[in-house]
Amino acid sequence: MSVNLQKGQKVDLTKSNTGLKTIVVGLGWDEAPKKFSLFSRQEDIDCDASAIMISESSGKLATPADVVYYGNLTHSSGSVRHCGDNLTGAGDGDDEQIIVELTKVPQQYSKIVFVVTIYQARERKQQFGMIKNAFIRVVDADNGNELCKFDLSENYDGRTAMVFGEVYRHKGEWKFGAIGEPTNDNGIGDMAARFQ
């Protein structure tokens, strides 16, 4: 049974789901209705989901190769894989998915942070106030059962990126934390620098 989380809540993944090996982290969003004008053309909003692997020893991002995103679809360990870039967010369900093989995540990583940035947000004058129905959910990859979901319901006008949530190791078990922290980072490079 799926748990609906509020901002700041945490839920155990592996302790209550014995045998859980692989999860799918699904991120989704819809574009709010556009305001049309005869003199302006609005481009589709291209949101990009990424996973940032955090080092156990430093509590930080150790190297750019530890960021899994549309330009680096698979981590060198093979434990985290991005399923590809959705350029518009159109359609129901997950817009982008990241697969995490929990049993393969090297011990040197204590946390995987899931973020969403808007591609060329500043150049296109786009921000999260133009997005609605944003969510992150965690699904058991083996049976398709949704374990937890966090709907982002606050007003994020003017913000260009978002830390959605994190999967982290605690006393040998994996947990998920709902974060929902907006930022003004311009793309994954800026967002990754926040964790260095």
Side-chain angles (χ1 to χ4, degrees), residues 109-124:
Y109 302 103
S110 60
K111 183 187 303 184
I112 304 166
V113 181
F114 298 95
V115 303
V116 174
T117 54
I118 298 174
Y119 180 72
Q120 292 186 336
R122 290 190 190 133
E123 296 85 346
R124 296 179 177 194

PDB file of all heavy atoms in Angstrom, residues 109-124:
ATOM      1  N   TYR A 109      28.523   5.526  -1.273  1.00  0.00           N
ATOM      2  CA  TYR A 109      27.439   6.493  -1.420  1.00  0.00           C
ATOM      3  C   TYR A 109      26.387   6.268  -0.335  1.00  0.00           C
ATOM      4  O   TYR A 109      25.895   5.166  -0.154  1.00  0.00           O
ATOM      5  CB  TYR A 109      26.786   6.383  -2.800  1.00  0.00           C
ATOM      6  CG  TYR A 109      27.768   6.600  -3.916  1.00  0.00           C
ATOM      7  CD1 TYR A 109      28.265   5.521  -4.640  1.00  0.00           C
ATOM      8  CD2 TYR A 109      28.218   7.870  -4.232  1.00  0.00           C
ATOM      9  CE1 TYR A 109      29.190   5.704  -5.657  1.00  0.00           C
ATOM     10  CE2 TYR A 109      29.140   8.068  -5.247  1.00  0.00           C
ATOM     11  CZ  TYR A 109      29.626   6.984  -5.951  1.00  0.00           C
ATOM     12  OH  TYR A 109      30.541   7.173  -6.953  1.00  0.00           O
ATOM     13  N   SER A 110      26.034   7.337   0.367  1.00  0.00           N
ATOM     14  CA  SER A 110      25.053   7.224   1.444  1.00  0.00           C
ATOM     15  C   SER A 110      23.682   7.736   1.034  1.00  0.00           C
ATOM     16  O   SER A 110      22.687   7.466   1.701  1.00  0.00           O
ATOM     17  CB  SER A 110      25.524   8.020   2.658  1.00  0.00           C
ATOM     18  OG  SER A 110      25.684   9.387   2.314  1.00  0.00           O
ATOM     19  N   LYS A 111      23.621   8.468  -0.084  1.00  0.00           N
ATOM     20  CA  LYS A 111      22.378   9.152  -0.427  1.00  0.00           C
ATOM     21  C   LYS A 111      22.327   9.406  -1.932  1.00  0.00           C
ATOM     22  O   LYS A 111      23.346   9.639  -2.563  1.00  0.00           O
ATOM     23  CB  LYS A 111      22.362  10.494   0.323  1.00  0.00           C
ATOM     24  CG  LYS A 111      21.131  11.320   0.170  1.00  0.00           C
ATOM     25  CD  LYS A 111      21.277  12.705   0.798  1.00  0.00           C
ATOM     26  CE  LYS A 111      21.632  12.675   2.250  1.00  0.00           C
ATOM     27  NZ  LYS A 111      21.665  14.031   2.839  1.00  0.00           N
ATOM     28  N   ILE A 112      21.105   9.374  -2.474  1.00  0.00           N
ATOM     29  CA  ILE A 112      20.860   9.754  -3.864  1.00  0.00           C
ATOM     30  C   ILE A 112      19.758  10.807  -3.831  1.00  0.00           C
ATOM     31  O   ILE A 112      18.644  10.550  -3.369  1.00  0.00           O
ATOM     32  CB  ILE A 112      20.433   8.547  -4.723  1.00  0.00           C
ATOM     33  CG1 ILE A 112      21.489   7.439  -4.631  1.00  0.00           C
ATOM     34  CG2 ILE A 112      20.214   8.978  -6.169  1.00  0.00           C
ATOM     35  CD1 ILE A 112      21.024   6.098  -5.156  1.00  0.00           C
ATOM     36  N   VAL A 113      20.077  12.009  -4.296  1.00  0.00           N
ATOM     37  CA  VAL A 113      19.142  13.129  -4.272  1.00  0.00           C
ATOM     38  C   VAL A 113      18.527  13.276  -5.664  1.00  0.00           C
ATOM     39  O   VAL A 113      19.239  13.271  -6.667  1.00  0.00           O
ATOM     40  CB  VAL A 113      19.861  14.435  -3.867  1.00  0.00           C
ATOM     41  CG1 VAL A 113      18.877  15.592  -3.832  1.00  0.00           C
ATOM     42  CG2 VAL A 113      20.557  14.276  -2.524  1.00  0.00           C
ATOM     43  N   PHE A 114      17.194  13.416  -5.704  1.00  0.00           N
ATOM     44  CA  PHE A 114      16.478  13.528  -6.972  1.00  0.00           C
ATOM     45  C   PHE A 114      16.016  14.972  -7.158  1.00  0.00           C
ATOM     46  O   PHE A 114      15.325  15.530  -6.310  1.00  0.00           O
ATOM     47  CB  PHE A 114      15.290  12.568  -7.000  1.00  0.00           C
ATOM     48  CG  PHE A 114      15.743  11.142  -6.884  1.00  0.00           C
ATOM     49  CD1 PHE A 114      15.778  10.512  -5.646  1.00  0.00           C
ATOM     50  CD2 PHE A 114      16.199  10.436  -7.993  1.00  0.00           C
ATOM     51  CE1 PHE A 114      16.232   9.216  -5.517  1.00  0.00           C
ATOM     52  CE2 PHE A 114      16.660   9.130  -7.873  1.00  0.00           C
ATOM     53  CZ  PHE A 114      16.678   8.523  -6.627  1.00  0.00           C
ATOM     54  N   VAL A 115      16.446  15.561  -8.264  1.00  0.00           N
ATOM     55  CA  VAL A 115      16.171  16.964  -8.535  1.00  0.00           C
ATOM     56  C   VAL A 115      15.524  17.108  -9.907  1.00  0.00           C
ATOM     57  O   VAL A 115      15.642  16.223 -10.758  1.00  0.00           O
ATOM     58  CB  VAL A 115      17.462  17.814  -8.471  1.00  0.00           C
ATOM     59  CG1 VAL A 115      18.139  17.674  -7.117  1.00  0.00           C
ATOM     60  CG2 VAL A 115      18.432  17.440  -9.581  1.00  0.00           C
ATOM     61  N   VAL A 116      14.835  18.221 -10.091  1.00  0.00           N
ATOM     62  CA  VAL A 116      14.276  18.554 -11.398  1.00  0.00           C
ATOM     63  C   VAL A 116      14.656  19.996 -11.710  1.00  0.00           C
ATOM     64  O   VAL A 116      14.477  20.892 -10.883  1.00  0.00           O
ATOM     65  CB  VAL A 116      12.739  18.385 -11.430  1.00  0.00           C
ATOM     66  CG1 VAL A 116      12.171  18.881 -12.755  1.00  0.00           C
ATOM     67  CG2 VAL A 116      12.356  16.923 -11.224  1.00  0.00           C
ATOM     68  N   THR A 117      15.213  20.194 -12.887  1.00  0.00           N
ATOM     69  CA  THR A 117      15.564  21.528 -13.357  1.00  0.00           C
ATOM     70  C   THR A 117      14.788  21.808 -14.645  1.00  0.00           C
ATOM     71  O   THR A 117      14.379  20.881 -15.340  1.00  0.00           O
ATOM     72  CB  THR A 117      17.078  21.649 -13.629  1.00  0.00           C
ATOM     73  OG1 THR A 117      17.474  20.600 -14.536  1.00  0.00           O
ATOM     74  CG2 THR A 117      17.879  21.506 -12.342  1.00  0.00           C
ATOM     75  N   ILE A 118      14.586  23.075 -14.944  1.00  0.00           N
ATOM     76  CA  ILE A 118      13.940  23.467 -16.201  1.00  0.00           C
ATOM     77  C   ILE A 118      15.041  23.819 -17.185  1.00  0.00           C
ATOM     78  O   ILE A 118      15.881  24.687 -16.914  1.00  0.00           O
ATOM     79  CB  ILE A 118      12.993  24.660 -16.002  1.00  0.00           C
ATOM     80  CG1 ILE A 118      11.859  24.285 -15.044  1.00  0.00           C
ATOM     81  CG2 ILE A 118      12.430  25.129 -17.352  1.00  0.00           C
ATOM     82  CD1 ILE A 118      10.951  25.448 -14.676  1.00  0.00           C
ATOM     83  N   TYR A 119      15.061  23.139 -18.316  1.00  0.00           N
ATOM     84  CA  TYR A 119      16.084  23.361 -19.330  1.00  0.00           C
ATOM     85  C   TYR A 119      16.013  24.802 -19.832  1.00  0.00           C
ATOM     86  O   TYR A 119      14.951  25.273 -20.242  1.00  0.00           O
ATOM     87  CB  TYR A 119      15.894  22.368 -20.481  1.00  0.00           C
ATOM     88  CG  TYR A 119      16.892  22.515 -21.588  1.00  0.00           C
ATOM     89  CD1 TYR A 119      18.217  22.130 -21.396  1.00  0.00           C
ATOM     90  CD2 TYR A 119      16.522  23.047 -22.816  1.00  0.00           C
ATOM     91  CE1 TYR A 119      19.142  22.272 -22.420  1.00  0.00           C
ATOM     92  CE2 TYR A 119      17.441  23.187 -23.836  1.00  0.00           C
ATOM     93  CZ  TYR A 119      18.753  22.800 -23.625  1.00  0.00           C
ATOM     94  OH  TYR A 119      19.675  22.943 -24.630  1.00  0.00           O
ATOM     95  N   GLN A 120      17.133  25.497 -19.773  1.00  0.00           N
ATOM     96  CA  GLN A 120      17.259  26.891 -20.219  1.00  0.00           C
ATOM     97  C   GLN A 120      16.167  27.784 -19.609  1.00  0.00           C
ATOM     98  O   GLN A 120      15.572  28.623 -20.289  1.00  0.00           O
ATOM     99  CB  GLN A 120      17.216  26.981 -21.751  1.00  0.00           C
ATOM    100  CG  GLN A 120      18.426  26.369 -22.422  1.00  0.00           C
ATOM    101  CD  GLN A 120      18.439  26.583 -23.923  1.00  0.00           C
ATOM    102  OE1 GLN A 120      17.402  26.788 -24.549  1.00  0.00           O
ATOM    103  NE2 GLN A 120      19.617  26.528 -24.513  1.00  0.00           N
ATOM    104  N   ALA A 121      15.941  27.609 -18.309  1.00  0.00           N
ATOM    105  CA  ALA A 121      14.864  28.346 -17.628  1.00  0.00           C
ATOM    106  C   ALA A 121      14.999  29.855 -17.787  1.00  0.00           C
ATOM    107  O   ALA A 121      14.018  30.541 -18.101  1.00  0.00           O
ATOM    108  CB  ALA A 121      14.841  27.969 -16.149  1.00  0.00           C
ATOM    109  N   ARG A 122      16.178  30.377 -17.551  1.00  0.00           N
ATOM    110  CA  ARG A 122      16.353  31.840 -17.618  1.00  0.00           C
ATOM    111  C   ARG A 122      16.216  32.347 -19.045  1.00  0.00           C
ATOM    112  O   ARG A 122      15.562  33.356 -19.294  1.00  0.00           O
ATOM    113  CB  ARG A 122      17.704  32.241 -17.027  1.00  0.00           C
ATOM    114  CG  ARG A 122      17.727  32.037 -15.523  1.00  0.00           C
ATOM    115  CD  ARG A 122      18.942  32.643 -14.867  1.00  0.00           C
ATOM    116  NE  ARG A 122      18.997  32.206 -13.476  1.00  0.00           N
ATOM    117  CZ  ARG A 122      20.064  31.751 -12.876  1.00  0.00           C
ATOM    118  NH1 ARG A 122      21.216  31.697 -13.513  1.00  0.00           N
ATOM    119  NH2 ARG A 122      20.015  31.367 -11.624  1.00  0.00           N
ATOM    120  N   GLU A 123      16.837  31.627 -19.976  1.00  0.00           N
ATOM    121  CA  GLU A 123      16.792  32.058 -21.373  1.00  0.00           C
ATOM    122  C   GLU A 123      15.359  32.046 -21.910  1.00  0.00           C
ATOM    123  O   GLU A 123      14.963  32.918 -22.681  1.00  0.00           O
ATOM    124  CB  GLU A 123      17.669  31.143 -22.247  1.00  0.00           C
ATOM    125  CG  GLU A 123      19.152  31.200 -21.921  1.00  0.00           C
ATOM    126  CD  GLU A 123      19.574  30.270 -20.777  1.00  0.00           C
ATOM    127  OE1 GLU A 123      18.710  29.758 -20.036  1.00  0.00           O
ATOM    128  OE2 GLU A 123      20.787  30.071 -20.623  1.00  0.00           O
ATOM    129  N   ARG A 124      14.585  31.053 -21.494  1.00  0.00           N
ATOM    130  CA  ARG A 124      13.207  30.913 -21.978  1.00  0.00           C
ATOM    131  C   ARG A 124      12.184  31.625 -21.077  1.00  0.00           C
ATOM    132  O   ARG A 124      10.997  31.559 -21.333  1.00  0.00           O
ATOM    133  CB  ARG A 124      12.838  29.430 -22.067  1.00  0.00           C
ATOM    134  CG  ARG A 124      13.661  28.648 -23.070  1.00  0.00           C
ATOM    135  CD  ARG A 124      13.244  27.201 -23.057  1.00  0.00           C
ATOM    136  NE  ARG A 124      13.947  26.414 -24.049  1.00  0.00           N
ATOM    137  CZ  ARG A 124      13.586  25.196 -24.417  1.00  0.00           C
ATOM    138  NH1 ARG A 124      12.529  24.624 -23.870  1.00  0.00           N
ATOM    139  NH2 ARG A 124      14.277  24.536 -25.315  1.00  0.00           N
TER     140      ARG A 124
END
